[in-house]
Amino acid sequence: MRCSASAGPRPLHVLVMLLAGCVPVTDAMQRTLHIGPHAFQVEVADTPHQRAHGLMGRPDLAADGGMLFVFEYPGRHCFWMRDTPLPLSIAFIDATGRIAGLADMLPRSETRHCPGVDIRYALEVRQGEFQRRGITLHAQVDGLPK
């Protein structure tokens, strides 16, 4: 079952979703990340459920929006785009907060995108936002949760 409340859930809507065993996607914690002079307002996916759901089913994403995936331990965490209608760019971020890899991902694709090194975080944004802003490998990401 896919659960989503992207339009801002009403209290009854949230209650129905909780009784159905769903957690509204909008309940994710919000955080501001900085990469150089650029700021991104991101949702934090730090539970297995939130990470598995990611941005699936989202029809749009703000230019300064995104989703930050937080893993308990560094590893070679891979991503795919099944059921995600948006083209996205992903930054693989190591435990020190440095971008260790970048990739563009096609909508609704099962192609796996894996980092070349162990990462602790991944940041998904609208496709092309890193390139448009001049964000490259080894850039420092500030504001990451510990």
Side-chain angles (χ1 to χ4, degrees):
M1 170 184 275
R2 181 182 308 159
C3 304
S4 174
S6 60
R10 296 177 300 280
L12 181 58
H13 187 200
V14 171
L15 178 61
V16 169
M17 291 173 71
L18 289 173
L19 290 174
C22 302
V23 177
V25 174
T26 56
D27 280 353
M29 181 177 60
Q30 302 285 314
R31 180 175 285 271
T32 301
L33 298 180
H34 294 274
I35 307 173
H38 308 286
F40 292 92
Q41 306 303 316
V42 300
E43 295 175 54
V44 177
D46 59 1
T47 68
H49 174 76
Q50 290 169 332
R51 289 190 301 260
H53 193 273
L55 291 170
M56 285 193 305
R58 300 282 182 95
D60 59 351
L61 185 63
D64 69 342
M67 181 164 281
L68 177 68
F69 295 82
V70 180
F71 298 95
E72 290 82 8
Y73 303 102
R76 303 278 172 105
H77 306 286
C78 297
F79 289 75
W80 64 1
M81 297 283 287
R82 181 191 299 165
D83 298 326
T84 305
L86 300 170
L88 298 173
S89 293
I90 188 167
F92 296 110
I93 305 166
D94 68 19
T96 69
R98 296 265 179 209
I99 296 177
L102 294 164
D104 287 335
M105 303 186 296
L106 296 175
R108 303 189 192 284
S109 169
E110 293 190 18
T111 300
R112 293 170 49 96
H113 299 274
C114 303
V117 299
D118 288 351
I119 60 160
R120 173 93 196 285
Y121 311 94
L123 174 60
E124 290 181 344
V125 299
R126 281 189 351 189
Q127 192 170 93
E129 281 304 314
F130 296 130
Q131 183 177 4
R132 268 190 282 289
R133 297 166 187 251
I135 296 170
T136 60
L137 287 176
H138 311 297
Q140 180 68 42
V141 181
D142 295 315
L144 295 167
K146 298 299 175 196

